[in-house]
Amino acid sequence: MYDLAEKALKAVTKYGAKEAEVYIIESQKTSVSIQKDVIEGAKENIITGIGIRAVVNGAVGFASTNIMSLIDEAAKNAVSSANIQDSDPDWRSLPSNQKYPAVSGIMDQQLKNMELDDCIAHTMEMIEGTKTVPGIIVTSGSFGRSYGKRLILNTNGVEVSEEGTGVSGFVDVITNSGETSTAYDFAISRNNDIDFISIGKNAAELARMSQDTISIEPHRTEVILHPFAFSDLIENTFMSSIDADNVQKGRSSLIGKKGEIIANEQLSIYDDGLLEGGIETGIADDEGVASQRTTVIENGTFMSYLYDTYTAGKDCVESTGNASRNSYLSTPSVGTRNFIIDFPKCDVIDDTDSGVYVNTVIGAHTANGISGDFSVEARNAFTIKDGKLDKPIASLMISGNIFDMLKNINGAGTDVRKVGGTITPSIRVSDISVIG
């Protein structure tokens, strides 16, 4: 990888770039799919790709390729792309070399060396888990295992080399007797520590519990949001409001709100690229800025937006290490790392006299990322009575505003889950509108 990166840097400077960056990934991925209680197929993919950014007179060009014999051509195309663009007055520079922190829990040799037979065996464990509950069919599901390396070099001395692993399991189930009910469960980790049988069992038990539903009247009540539901809402509303690019373009409700109380004073939120075993953990972000822990909300007070190098330059501040790429095919933009929701924990259901419990939501992607307004369908929802889940609800819509929700949080469970890069417990919110 170093030879390829150095070859690309030499080529892009040869063609006229004043600054240049090379981003290379190598990844090995194994995936196994489930359809109707049986394994449908399994496949292994190996991908190598390189992305090149070239800066010429303040204009940034980009090109990529997955054919390593075409690196010279990609470098030339990156410079040509910069040459046909106008200079960007807001461009400052690529990151410079810096000291990188140590991180842990992101590389597992067992996952790196896991054979296809073991991947299939874990997939079968999820199916077996669903069979511990009678009358359940797995409609779909998947197992994924990955090992990857990335290398970032630039002409300012940045040199980041890192490897990591990941594994995930997912099942979606349906009842095959009585009232039709569906449910799913999911888990993800950087290490080979997932209980795949429990994934299947949890989904099956939830589907069974969700039968024999009742209808409820529209009202306002306390709502407990399972980590799946809360993470879906916050990712599609609040996260876009702290993206410095959105703030600079006037697309955030948090413009000018730093230092103001915007949430319950017991709530803190952190963006932590250093979290042990975090899905988004690494020594650096995706353009080579050292990872850090950024306090977004501290005891209810809004503290910080999230920046990559470009947006930080526009505001004359330091990057928070939040440059993110989808792949080698894209340039970096602002993204969250490990987004941690911190609130005093208790047995939140037992602590609730009456209300509604929601496992998952549908339609969070339609929320208004600027205002924070949302209206979503709740799935696998239950009434709460005297501190226990009572009756499953047939059909339910919940609506509200994420900024009102943050102020009205009044409880959190002990069931902290990693939902992708969001780490959250169940969250209880008062005064939410529910419509049966």
Side-chain angles (χ1 to χ4, degrees):
M1 291 177 74
Y2 274 98
D3 289 343
L4 294 173
E6 289 173 354
K7 177 182 177 181
L9 274 187
K10 288 178 181 178
V12 76
T13 52
K14 175 184 71 176
Y15 288 119
K18 302 304 179 185
E19 287 186 290
E21 170 198 81
V22 176
Y23 178 86
I24 301 181
I25 62 165
E26 291 182 1
S27 67
Q28 304 169 8
K29 296 182 179 180
T30 307
S31 58
V32 185
S33 59
I34 306 169
Q35 290 290 334
K36 296 182 179 179
D37 274 347
V38 298
I39 291 179
E40 181 184 47
K43 61 182 179 181
E44 292 183 305
N45 290 330
I46 298 176
I47 299 172
T48 301
I50 182 169
I52 302 171
R53 276 200 291 177
V55 184
V56 180
N57 298 323
V60 183
F62 177 77
S64 64
T65 183
N66 62 354
I67 303 173
M68 296 303 106
S69 61
L70 298 181
I71 283 179
D72 189 80
E73 183 177 338
K76 185 175 182 180
N77 289 340
V79 174
S80 297
S81 173
N83 281 327
I84 63 173
Q85 298 185 59
D86 294 330
S87 175
D88 185 345
D90 293 316
W91 176 260
R92 297 294 181 267
S93 70
L94 293 169
S96 296
N97 186 32
Q98 51 204 277
K99 183 178 180 180
Y100 294 105
V103 297
S104 61
I106 66 171
M107 176 65 199
D108 186 320
Q109 287 293 332
Q110 286 185 338
L111 284 180
K112 177 182 177 180
N113 300 322
M114 185 174 285
E115 300 290 341
L116 181 59
D117 286 347
D118 294 322
C119 297
I120 292 173
H122 284 316
T123 309
M124 288 301 302
E125 288 174 0
M126 291 190 288
I127 298 175
E128 291 165 7
T130 67
K131 300 311 172 188
T132 61
V133 180
I136 298 295
I137 297 174
V138 180
T139 54
S140 64
S142 62
F143 168 92
R145 160 260 169 207
S146 64
Y147 163 72
K149 296 188 291 183
R150 65 171 180 158
L151 174 64
I152 308 169
L153 295 184
N154 75 21
T155 50
N156 293 340
V158 163
E159 183 176 307
V160 172
S161 178
E162 193 166 46
E163 59 181 344
T165 51
V167 65
S168 64
F170 165 81
V171 288
D172 198 341
V173 303
I174 190 170
T175 55
N176 67 356
S177 62
E179 181 181 356
T180 299
S181 176
T182 63
Y184 74 81
D185 197 22
F186 166 81
I188 189 169
S189 180
R190 299 295 291 264
N191 298 285
N192 189 26
D193 56 7
I194 293 177
D195 184 344
F196 291 96
I197 291 177
S198 290
I199 294 175
K201 183 178 180 181
N202 292 342
E205 289 178 343
L206 181 56
R208 178 63 71 193
M209 287 172 57
S210 300
Q211 291 185 303
D212 303 321
T213 54
I214 65 169
S215 297
I216 64 172
E217 296 296 321
H219 64 293
R220 302 188 73 87
T221 188
E222 287 194 322
V223 173
I224 299 176
L225 298 163
H226 182 279
F228 289 164
F230 186 71
S231 64
D232 208 359
L233 286 176
I234 204 163
E235 286 170 14
N236 285 281
T237 52
F238 182 74
M239 287 185 186
S240 62
S241 293
I242 60 174
D243 180 332
D245 185 55
N246 286 333
V247 174
Q248 291 165 355
K249 293 176 179 176
R251 300 189 304 225
S252 168
S253 291
L254 294 178
I255 296 171
K257 295 287 183 70
K258 286 176 64 174
E260 294 186 15
I261 294 176
I262 66 167
N264 183 305
E265 294 185 11
Q266 291 184 292
L267 176 70
S268 294
I269 296 179
Y270 308 98
D271 182 90
D272 191 356
L274 305 172
L275 180 70
E276 181 178 0
I279 302 304
E280 302 296 339
T281 294
I283 63 172
D285 69 4
D286 278 337
E287 60 181 356
V289 173
S291 296
Q292 66 177 52
R293 179 181 172 99
T294 301
T295 300
V296 177
I297 293 177
E298 183 174 32
N299 298 327
T301 300
F302 179 53
M303 303 298 292
S304 179
Y305 307 113
L306 301 182
Y307 292 92
D308 61 4
T309 297
Y310 178 71
T311 55
K314 291 177 73 173
D315 279 359
C316 299
V317 298
E318 295 294 322
S319 169
T320 55
N322 284 92
S324 177
R325 303 181 197 237
N326 293 324
S327 76
Y328 71 91
L329 296 168
S330 63
T331 56
S333 59
V334 179
T336 56
R337 303 291 294 278
N338 300 296
F339 207 68
I340 304 169
I341 311 300
D342 184 19
F343 196 90
K345 297 171 180 62
C346 66
D347 188 335
V348 70
I349 297 176
D350 185 67
D351 193 48
T352 305
D353 291 331
S354 65
V356 169
Y357 183 89
V358 174
N359 273 277
T360 60
V361 296
I362 297 176
H365 66 284
T366 65
N368 188 315
I370 299 176
S371 69
D373 292 331
F374 63 85
S375 181
V376 294
E377 179 184 350
R379 297 284 304 278
N380 301 114
F382 299 83
T383 58
I384 300 171
K385 182 179 180 181
D386 299 329
K388 298 187 182 301
L389 296 185
D390 189 29
K391 303 291 185 182
I393 302 170
S395 177
L396 186 72
M397 297 291 295
I398 61 173
S399 60
N401 179 279
I402 193 64
F403 300 105
D404 292 338
M405 279 182 58
L406 294 179
K407 294 176 182 176
N408 292 332
I409 291 174
N410 62 13
T414 57
D415 56 339
V416 177
R417 296 281 294 260
K418 289 179 182 177
V419 190
T422 302
I423 299 92
T424 181
S426 290
I427 294 293
R428 184 179 62 203
V429 185
S430 63
D431 196 34
I432 294 289
S433 174
V434 297
I435 302 172

